[in-house]
Amino acid sequence: MSSARDRVEALREQIARHNEAYYALDAPTIPDADYDALLVELRELEGEYPELATDESVTRKVGTGSTTVFSEVTHAEPMLSLDNVFDVHELAAWAQRAAKGLGVPASTLEFAVEPKIDGLALSITYVDGALVQGATRGDGRVGEDVTENVRTIKNLPQQLRNGHRGRVEVRGEVFIAKADFLALNERQRELGAKEFANPRNAAAGSLRQKDPAVSRSRPLSFLGYQLVDLDGSLTFGSYFETISQLARWGFLTAHETVVVAGDVAMVERSDWFEEHRHNLTYEIDGVVIKLNDLTQRATLGFTSRAPRWAIARKLPPEERSTRLLAIEVSIGRTGRATPYAVLEPVVVAGSRVSMATLHNEDQVAEKDVRPGDLVIVRKAGDVIPEVVGAVSEPGRRRKSAWKFPATCPECGAPLVRVGEESDTYCVNPSCPAQLLQQIVHFASRGALDIEGLGESRVAQLLAEGLISDVADLFTLRVSDLSSLEGMGELSGSSLVAAISGAKVASLSRVLVGLGIRHVGPVAARELAVTFRHYRALADAPLEVLEGIDGVGPVIAASVYEYCREPENQERMARLFSLGLTLVEPVGAILEQTLAGRAVVVTGAVEGYSRDDAEEAIKARGGTSPGSVSKKTYCVVVGDAPGASKLTKATELGVAMIPATGFDELLRTGAWTTTLT
Ligand code: IVH
């Protein structure tokens, strides 16, 4: 008994510490699965020794209740948490308990099965249709007033569409979609700012900014899943009707939500999420199952912590441990030397991982990972593998701490770390690794978008001596290419055609493609809109560059220097003489609501020709491929759609949205209605 008491106390203390790290500091120190295991152990001990359980225990409370800079908001109704189950047996047992509580067989119950989005809970109050308040969950009873930041969330209705008289509270999750997270970190990298560990931390940090302008610059989204009618004027019979109302008001709701009949179908649908979780546009950490019938919900009620009518099925951890075989260094297009982990292959979040970035020298030191260590691997934003840290293995002798190499592994030139920067660079401008990456980048999607010019093809062209600079691409002839290994007449001529097609490009894409340090798509667009012509940009004095919105002194100096480097001047002159033609952006650049997203259009969309629809998607940063794959963001279904695309989308769990939702998709990057 006394050892149980000690263990309970130790667990409570650990959990409280992790709660603080997770909820208050947005900086969790252990994987979610490990946290859950602590909580389960504590709950079991409290069950076994009821005398050790107290109302104050962390198993009965939600969040932390920590202090903040925001003013307090007392929730009209407590914002409760959900109880968790970890496998299908526990899930089935929960359904049985609910059925028993209602005195009906579980096979007769209707369940809504939906994604458990890995974001943070938010409550938004509307009075007579207007957004008046946004509050975080806090300790469940009292949250933080984050209204001004909430107003910056782009997919959130400021006014309820179709209006509504009275007072309602919409609750849901604030999150950053996977694609947005990648773009955000890309931007952080460009700015030399710290990258975010994962979408949840990025969303939490972004929502709790003192300056709403910072929140506005972050790609936050909101998804609604609960309606609290503060006046009691709305009457719904089911959850499905409630979320349909949210969608009608203009909220994004989870289009994967399905209402199923009976516990067997419910478990099956929750398995679907496990299988498809990596195809969703947001990160999920589980599945939420809720009774659909609101009268049944009222009968079951709540425990002190959570409703009895809902449960969260936590999905298995997407963090794995594996052996770190070596730490190596790769050289990027700017010469940046990035250390990366060579791992014993392991499947994480649906794919095999054998390498993971370690970012820079400081990160390796901070994580203190050493070759030979057992390390934890996860995917940031469900996409980019990264090493979280080493697992302690008492009794095992570790190798000594890893040292950053002094010379470039590709060309032998010194690797240099300057001033305060955490990055290290290969300073040899003719380093072959840099050249390869520069050309690959020039041809990449975000730049000149030349199909068929990936890393291996560029490496081959360099090795054959056919190119030694980006401008040389414009000199390639079919006869140069058709005799290359793996290439024939046909692929040679399609590559030449693709290169030739890229000669007409926008200034912003060319600026991105040139790989000027710190200039990413956002800064490139600002520069292109301001100067319109390369000449004007190249001649601009430093002060003028510095004065442009979104272009700070770092970017300005980098552009200024780039344009004055004789080698770069020569390259530009060659590109222009070989036919590079800049088409100037017309009018304002559109908001990049679909940045990095693949939207497939099938069938006729009213008001758009096929080309118009494609252009509209591209103008917002997206792509519009001809076929559906795992990577497809959504499929827009017009009149007379292609059957194979629909089948494929259904098979892969890709969202299908009606053509009437196309404008909304372009405007917000999201949708409120889907076809099933
Ligand atoms: S319903 C009273 N539905 O998970 C029930 N929560 O672990 C309120 N979450 O606090 C929650 N997706 O922040 C619900 N589809 C979903 C959810 C969801 C994510 C979060 C939410 C909640 C936490 C509980």
Side-chain angles (χ1 to χ4, degrees):
M1 173 74 193
S2 86
S3 73
R5 183 185 301 278
D6 289 350
R7 182 68 190 146
V8 163
E9 271 169 21
L11 283 168
R12 282 187 189 146
E13 196 192 299
Q14 275 185 52
I15 292 168
R17 227 171 344 101
H18 292 311
N19 275 348
E20 178 75 13
Y22 184 84
Y23 290 106
L25 308 175
D26 300 324
T29 50
I30 55 165
D32 285 1
D34 292 1
Y35 173 87
D36 289 339
L38 295 176
L39 209 55
V40 166
E41 189 187 343
L42 178 58
R43 207 169 288 146
E44 277 172 10
L45 279 173
E46 287 178 349
E48 209 175 316
Y49 302 99
E51 57 279 38
L52 296 180
T54 72
D55 277 351
E56 282 307 297
S57 173
V58 281
T59 54
R60 310 249 169 122
K61 286 200 305 189
V62 182
T64 54
S66 60
T67 53
T68 65
V69 295
F70 297 98
S71 55
E72 292 188 344
V73 173
T74 303
H75 298 300
E77 273 180 23
M79 287 183 81
L80 295 179
S81 189
L82 292 168
D83 279 334
N84 295 322
V85 293
F86 296 89
D87 60 40
V88 287
H89 305 293
E90 290 175 7
L91 179 59
W94 165 78
Q96 287 302 333
R97 278 199 304 281
K100 195 165 164 218
L102 295 167
V104 297
S107 58
T108 64
L109 295 177
E110 271 190 0
F111 301 92
V113 188
E114 60 186 32
K116 184 170 189 301
I117 294 150
D118 200 8
L120 55 154
L122 188 70
S123 140
I124 310 167
T125 308
Y126 289 83
V127 174
D128 291 340
L131 191 165
V132 296
Q133 188 175 68
T136 63
R137 180 171 69 178
D139 66 2
R141 196 181 62 81
V142 179
E144 297 164 319
D145 184 338
V146 286
T147 311
E148 291 319 307
N149 295 344
V150 166
R151 288 189 197 282
T152 69
I153 301 176
K154 296 185 189 62
N155 78 338
L156 192 66
Q158 301 291 319
Q159 291 282 335
L160 298 180
R161 202 189 286 163
N162 312 324
H164 173 70
R165 292 220 65 77
R167 204 177 164 82
V168 288
E169 197 184 318
V170 175
R171 293 179 178 179
E173 206 75 356
V174 179
F175 65 97
I176 292 183
K178 290 179 200 169
D180 291 335
F181 173 71
L182 296 182
L184 174 64
N185 263 354
E186 173 78 40
R187 203 175 75 197
Q188 293 291 102
R189 262 197 301 281
E190 276 168 22
L191 298 173
K194 199 168 177 294
E195 288 175 46
F196 295 100
N198 57 51
R200 190 197 171 278
N201 288 2
S206 303
L207 189 67
R208 296 173 73 249
Q209 287 291 329
K210 276 188 231 155
D211 179 2
V214 179
S215 303
R216 186 181 300 281
S217 73
R218 306 278 172 78
L220 292 169
S221 299
F222 177 84
L223 182 145
Y225 50 63
Q226 200 182 353
L227 174 57
V228 183
D229 178 14
L230 300 167
D231 303 326
S233 61
L234 291 164
T235 43
F236 297 113
S238 71
Y239 177 59
F240 189 77
E241 285 168 33
T242 316
I243 52 172
S244 305
Q245 176 63 65
L246 293 184
R248 278 196 299 276
W249 275 337
F251 290 95
L252 169 68
T253 53
H255 55 83
E256 300 89 0
T257 301
V258 170
V259 176
V260 295
D263 53 342
V264 175
M266 177 274 281
V267 172
E268 244 177 57
R269 180 64 189 177
S270 79
D271 285 342
W272 180 93
F273 278 96
E274 180 165 15
E275 209 178 302
H276 290 90
R277 63 186 296 190
H278 305 303
N279 302 336
L280 308 186
T281 53
Y282 29 64
E283 245 189 81
I284 67 170
D285 60 345
V287 189
V288 181
I289 298 104
K290 300 169 178 169
L291 284 184
N292 189 36
D293 185 315
L294 300 187
T295 316
Q296 288 179 337
R297 284 191 184 187
T299 310
L300 286 181
F302 301 84
T303 66
S304 63
R305 181 187 140 96
R308 289 194 186 86
W309 43 259
I311 198 85
R313 175 183 170 190
K314 286 283 200 137
L315 291 175
E318 287 302 305
E319 295 189 338
R320 295 278 182 282
S321 57
T322 189
R323 203 52 76 184
L324 175 62
L325 302 176
I327 299 178
E328 290 180 2
V329 167
S330 72
I331 305 296
R333 64 185 161 84
T334 57
R336 183 161 70 185
T338 307
Y340 65 94
V342 181
L343 303 161
E344 206 162 281
V346 61
V347 174
V348 190
S351 67
R352 193 167 167 273
V353 172
S354 56
M355 278 190 289
T357 180
L358 287 165
H359 302 287
N360 56 44
E361 186 175 12
D362 293 348
Q363 287 277 316
V364 182
E366 196 177 303
K367 289 178 176 160
D368 188 23
V369 284
R370 309 178 186 187
D373 283 354
L374 190 63
V375 293
I376 295 178
V377 179
R378 71 169 172 219
K379 283 201 184 151
D382 233 5
V383 187
I384 302 173
E386 66 172 17
V387 174
V388 182
V391 181
S392 91
E393 294 173 282
R396 197 189 128 256
R397 238 183 109 88
R398 299 177 76 198
K399 294 214 170 102
S400 48
W402 181 78
K403 281 211 183 63
F404 210 94
T407 54
C408 172
E410 304 285 341
C411 71
L415 290 179
V416 178
R417 189 172 162 175
V418 189
E420 299 280 280
E421 279 206 45
S422 44
D423 290 326
T424 308
Y425 287 88
C426 163
V427 291
N428 171 15
S430 16
C431 171
Q434 289 183 44
L435 185 59
L436 168 69
Q437 295 305 333
Q438 283 160 9
I439 301 174
V440 170
H441 176 73
F442 186 74
S444 68
R445 250 191 195 178
L448 267 70
D449 197 12
I450 305 175
E451 211 176 313
L453 212 49
E455 185 164 333
S456 53
R457 183 66 70 211
V458 175
Q460 187 185 30
L461 297 175
L462 281 167
E464 294 289 333
L466 288 168
I467 56 169
S468 59
D469 184 83
V470 289
D472 295 334
L473 291 171
F474 290 171
T475 66
L476 289 172
R477 287 161 309 183
V478 179
S479 56
D480 295 329
L481 301 173
S482 52
S483 57
L484 293 180
E485 203 187 315
M487 264 221 159
E489 189 79 21
L490 201 64
S491 45
S493 51
S494 41
L495 183 53
V496 169
I499 294 171
S500 171
K503 283 182 184 171
V504 178
S506 68
L507 176 56
S508 59
R509 277 181 181 267
V510 172
L511 290 177
V512 169
L514 292 172
I516 307 169
R517 254 176 102 182
H518 304 298
V519 178
V522 178
R525 263 192 308 279
E526 296 298 343
L527 292 165
V529 170
T530 309
F531 295 105
R532 301 193 159 240
H533 300 278
Y534 181 76
R535 215 30 297 141
L537 167 77
D539 291 341
L542 188 58
E543 310 79 71
V544 173
L545 291 168
E546 281 176 348
I548 298 167
D549 240 9
V551 177
V554 178
I555 299 177
S558 172
V559 172
Y560 186 80
E561 277 164 33
Y562 184 92
C563 296
R564 269 146 201 85
E565 190 77 47
E567 198 191 337
N568 297 333
Q569 292 175 337
E570 241 168 72
R571 175 180 305 114
M572 284 314 293
R574 267 195 85 208
L575 282 168
F576 285 126
S577 74
L578 289 166
L580 176 68
T581 309
L582 296 181
V583 282
E584 306 309 330
V586 181
I589 297 279
L590 294 165
E591 193 173 342
Q592 300 295 287
T593 47
L594 296 171
R597 289 169 167 166
V599 176
V600 173
V601 180
T602 175
V605 178
E606 205 187 312
Y608 294 85
S609 70
R610 175 55 59 94
D611 283 351
D612 288 349
E614 220 179 290
E615 269 315 303
I617 293 163
K618 285 190 180 158
R620 286 156 183 86
T623 58
S624 187
S627 60
V628 179
S629 78
K630 239 169 53 174
K631 295 195 181 127
T632 306
Y633 177 55
C634 64
V635 178
V636 176
V637 183
D639 260 359
S644 66
K645 289 197 181 110
L646 300 188
T647 315
K648 190 88 198 194
T650 312
E651 218 175 272
L652 294 172
V654 172
M656 292 182 277
I657 63 172
T660 46
F662 188 53
D663 286 330
E664 179 189 21
L665 176 72
L666 295 174
R667 209 176 51 250
T668 65
W671 51 84
T672 40
T673 325
T674 50
L675 303 165
T676 38

